[in-house]
Amino acid sequence: MKGEEFGDFLKGQAEIWQLLFAFTGSMALKCAVQLRIADIINSHLGPLTLSQIASHIADSPSPDSISYLTRIMRPLVHKKVFTAHRSSDGGETLYGLTHTSRWLLWDSKPNFVPLILLENNPLMLAPWQYLSHGVKDGGRPFDKAHGCDLWRFASENPEFNEMFNDGMGCMVDIFTEEVLAGYKDGFGCIGSLVNVGGGIGGDMYKIVKSHPHIKGVNFDLPHVIATAPTYPGVSHVGGDMFVTIPNADAIFLKSVLHDWSHDLCVEILKNCRKAIPENTGKVIIVDIVFDADDEDDIFKEARIILDMVMMAHTNGGKERTEFEWKKLLEEAGFPRYKITRISAIPSIIEAYPI
């Protein structure tokens, strides 16, 4: 084997090692969140040694604490989640925050804490073991792992339902401010708005708070609405979007349609169309518009990963290209649409019935 060929051969081996154990990065991230390492460092307004971090994790740290922490922090430093450098006196290594670890702060919003705990929970990891089964004999990985789809599983398991709602709720803080900034003129002419699949109502409340003239309705399954807090200006309504949707000037769908297959999305959108005025109504969709050819997109890898998440966890859901969105909207009775890009993973798609 020639030198250049051998170099490529070794590079391929190294890349397989990284892919083979890629899950260790996610587990280290979950561990850091559970131990609140970022919060400990942040509360002291500067880098800390592992001994100092350990002393804030437990009153009497185990003899293994420093050894474990050293090895857990190593991949997180390598991925630039934390910084590491020797103290000025040449003593212990000091660990500090980066722009990445600031997304791990429990006491600061927005953060990814609930989503990290949700997606790395054994219940959500189990479906990943069934991807090959889906290729060979069809079916959905989540159903194969748990005997039912995610929505039924959540309705029958209150503890999981709470964890799932918390995980989805953190995306309100991550995405909704960008939606409000990027679509501020779009909400101005809306008198009433129904947030379909709105969870416990965080999105609807932020929209109504920013645009008090809007009569806001948060619409979701009854077991979700049952845990929703009271928000000023927001009415909670339980129901099934596959049956009927409350009437309004406009419908808001954030991170909902990517959970469902093409045919089921058409059903949802047809019900949305029935719920809005023929001449002035619109549906506002906040979801990923996938563009595999955009090499400069900082969220490209995240969007690819999220498409895999949809495959593992949802009822035929996926992240869609603009062509797929166009086809979907046309079949549902929306011949006209407009896409607005924002500084976040999703985009805003306005769909019009005429």
Side-chain angles (χ1 to χ4, degrees), residues 321-332 334-335 337:
T321 63
E322 181 174 352
F323 176 80
E324 289 171 315
W325 279 112
K326 183 176 185 291
K327 188 172 184 292
L328 182 62
L329 292 170
E330 286 176 347
E331 285 187 34
F334 294 90
Y337 69 91

Side-chain angles (χ1 to χ4, degrees), residues 64-331:
D64 296 324
S65 293
I66 301 302
S67 173
Y68 272 101
L69 277 175
T70 300
R71 294 156 74 181
I72 289 164
M73 293 296 277
R74 186 178 292 135
L76 295 175
V77 170
H78 178 67
K79 289 294 185 180
K80 297 181 172 55
V81 177
F82 296 99
T83 62
H85 62 272
R86 288 282 184 182
S87 60
S88 57
D89 59 3
E92 292 185 67
T93 299
L94 292 165
Y95 293 85
L97 301 181
T98 68
H99 61 275
T100 303
S101 49
R102 293 191 179 279
W103 287 92
L104 308 182
L105 297 171
W106 286 69
D107 301 324
S108 177
K109 290 188 177 182
N111 68 59
F112 274 102
V113 167
L115 193 60
I116 290 168
L117 296 177
L118 170 68
E119 294 296 343
N120 289 289
N121 184 278
L123 293 170
M124 292 296 266
L125 292 174
W128 291 99
Q129 305 299 322
Y130 292 88
L131 294 185
S132 61
H133 295 253
V135 173
K136 288 188 288 187
D137 50 43
R140 297 164 184 151
F142 195 96
D143 296 42
K144 289 178 180 293
H146 298 297
C148 62
D149 69 16
L150 187 150
W151 319 112
R152 180 179 166 190
F153 188 83
S155 71
E156 296 175 352
N157 295 272
E159 187 175 337
F160 176 81
N161 183 56
E162 182 179 359
M163 179 174 61
F164 182 81
N165 288 337
D166 287 344
M168 297 302 100
C170 83
M171 289 194 288
V172 172
D173 299 310
I174 294 169
F175 295 154
T176 306
E177 291 301 326
E178 294 300 330
V179 172
L180 289 171
Y183 193 67
K184 56 186 177 182
D185 296 331
F187 289 116
C189 59
I190 297 172
S192 58
L193 181 67
V194 173
N195 186 6
V196 173
I200 58 174
D203 280 315
M204 193 72 261
Y205 174 58
K206 280 186 174 287
I207 292 170
V208 170
K209 186 178 179 182
S210 180
H211 302 274
H213 69 279
I214 293 177
K215 178 184 177 183
V217 175
N218 180 55
F219 180 72
D220 212 312
L221 292 166
H223 76 268
V224 177
I225 294 300
T227 64
T230 299
Y231 292 113
V234 177
S235 300
H236 295 295
V237 176
D240 186 342
M241 64 186 173
F242 291 105
V243 178
T244 187
I245 290 169
N247 293 334
D249 295 333
I251 303 296
F252 185 75
L253 291 153
K254 182 173 78 67
S255 302
V256 171
L257 296 179
H258 73 166
D259 290 335
W260 303 94
S261 68
H262 180 93
D263 291 343
L264 291 175
C265 283
V266 170
E267 281 189 45
I268 296 167
L269 286 168
K270 283 183 175 179
N271 284 337
C272 289
R273 197 181 190 285
K274 293 174 185 176
I276 58 175
E278 179 74 23
N279 296 322
T280 59
K282 62 180 173 179
V283 174
I284 306 159
I285 300 164
V286 179
D287 239 319
I288 286 174
V289 179
F290 193 68
D291 183 359
D293 297 327
D294 187 357
E295 296 298 333
D296 297 325
D297 177 14
I298 63 169
F299 290 120
K300 180 178 179 178
E301 185 172 353
R303 291 190 178 106
I304 292 171
I305 291 168
L306 282 171
D307 184 54
M308 292 285 289
V309 173
M310 295 304 107
M311 182 168 58
H313 292 159
T314 69
N315 294 24
K318 62 183 296 186
E319 306 301 352
R320 295 176 168 88
T321 63
E322 181 174 352
F323 176 80
E324 289 171 315
W325 279 112
K326 183 176 185 291
K327 188 172 184 292
L328 182 62
L329 292 170
E330 286 176 347
E331 285 187 34

